[in-house]
Amino acid sequence: MKSPIDPASQPHSRLLLNMSILITGGGSQIGLAAAQALKATHPSVPIIFATRSGSRIPSAFKTVTVDFADPSTFDNAFNPDVGPIRSVYLLTPHGPDPSRGLITFVNKAIENGTKRFVLLSGSILVKESMHPGAKIWRHFEEEDVEYVILKPTSFIGKCQPDQLPEEDTQWFAADNIKTEFAAYIRESDSFQTAVPTGKIPMVSSKDIGEVAARALIADKVESNEVVIIGPQLLTFEEVSPQRRKNK
């Protein structure tokens, strides 16, 4: 899958000089995939995870304690031991208005010299809406910083901290169905969706993570809004765990 962002194929990208990359959201699916992609292509670049608990983070990566609900923890990501943070990957946390904590964190990062932010959202997000992601999007523009909004389609799958699965769109989708709809499947051996027969260009965590890594490391942001789609149109029936098991 080709990203409209310059993949920073140059071995001596300007952004690689005396910089670190911060990945928020703890051991999230896309954050882990992005870190693995960065480690594979730019092994000398320090990658730091901002996490509340430190769980699910591979031992190869440094962690700092950050809780978006507690601004007193924000300085942990910008202390001298961490070093300058050039780019930040942002995952919107759960809560009644998560944009407040995230915007406060963005302001703290800007104060400490961070130049670029990569925000994970979804393909239906529009900048003018009242969605938390849209509020953060507009804040990026108000602050005149470099930013990329990642807008993947369904379905984000699950990757393991120590090993990314083989590139199998259906595996990722099936795994995510089990994660997101587990309660419904246990109760009735089924789940409901607004598009029961519609075909969707489902995309894997690995692909999204690779695009995120390119956005974080590229010399130049070529597009502020990047829609990420999978290579194949699939229905939920085609990727359901039961169908996969019966094959």
Side-chain angles (χ1 to χ4, degrees):
M1 176 179 57
K2 184 177 180 181
S3 166
I5 301 174
D6 177 3
S9 57
Q10 310 97 310
H12 302 291
S13 170
R14 291 189 301 275
L15 293 186
L16 303 186
L17 301 176
N18 301 316
M19 62 159 283
S20 297
I21 291 175
L22 183 70
I23 296 179
T24 72
S28 67
Q29 300 168 19
I30 309 304
L32 288 169
Q36 297 285 8
L38 286 165
K39 184 179 179 182
T41 57
H42 298 87
S44 64
V45 176
I47 301 167
I48 301 156
F49 278 85
T51 173
R52 287 183 299 177
S53 65
S55 62
R56 299 179 301 168
I57 308 298
S59 59
F61 300 107
K62 186 174 182 178
T63 64
V64 292
T65 301
V66 172
D67 183 349
F68 286 134
D70 182 4
S72 68
T73 66
F74 293 174
D75 284 332
N76 294 336
F78 307 102
N79 66 58
D81 292 337
V82 174
I85 303 294
R86 182 59 176 78
S87 303
V88 176
Y89 167 81
L90 293 170
L91 178 65
T92 306
H94 297 293
D97 188 6
S99 62
R100 290 185 180 181
L102 215 55
I103 286 173
T104 302
F105 181 81
V106 166
N107 291 341
K108 174 68 71 172
I110 293 172
E111 291 173 7
N112 284 273
T114 299
K115 303 299 183 184
R116 181 177 300 171
F117 300 88
V118 177
L119 174 68
L120 178 67
S121 183
S123 59
I124 63 173
L125 183 71
V126 292
K127 183 171 61 176
E128 296 75 20
S129 73
M130 293 305 295
H131 188 278
K135 294 179 183 179
I136 299 164
W137 187 344
R138 293 193 295 270
H139 187 70
F140 290 154
E141 295 197 338
E142 291 169 2
E143 294 298 323
D144 193 27
V145 294
E146 294 182 0
Y147 73 89
V148 178
I149 309 296
L150 300 180
K151 301 174 66 174
T153 58
S154 298
F155 229 78
I156 297 172
K158 185 176 183 180
C159 65
Q160 302 301 323
D162 58 343
Q163 181 180 4
L164 290 174
E166 294 297 324
E167 192 166 349
D168 181 347
T169 301
Q170 295 190 8
W171 185 93
F172 280 107
D175 184 81
N176 196 74
I177 289 172
K178 289 186 289 185
T179 301
E180 298 297 323
F181 301 104
Y184 300 102
I185 294 172
R186 283 195 298 267
E187 291 174 4
S188 62
D189 198 29
S190 65
F191 63 91
Q192 294 183 350
T193 171
V195 285
T197 59
K199 287 184 174 289
I200 302 171
M202 300 185 185
V203 62
S204 75
S205 297
K206 182 174 183 289
D207 287 339
I208 301 168
E210 288 177 353
V211 176
R214 294 170 185 171
L216 289 162
I217 209 73
D219 277 338
K220 182 180 178 182
V221 172
E222 299 292 346
S223 176
N224 295 118
E225 184 178 355
V226 180
V227 177
I228 309 170
I229 63 174
Q232 184 179 1
L233 292 172
L234 298 165
T235 66
F236 278 98
E237 181 183 3
E238 289 173 321
V239 299
S240 70
Q242 186 64 38
R243 181 182 177 89
R244 295 282 290 172
K245 185 173 71 172
N246 292 338
K247 283 191 175 183

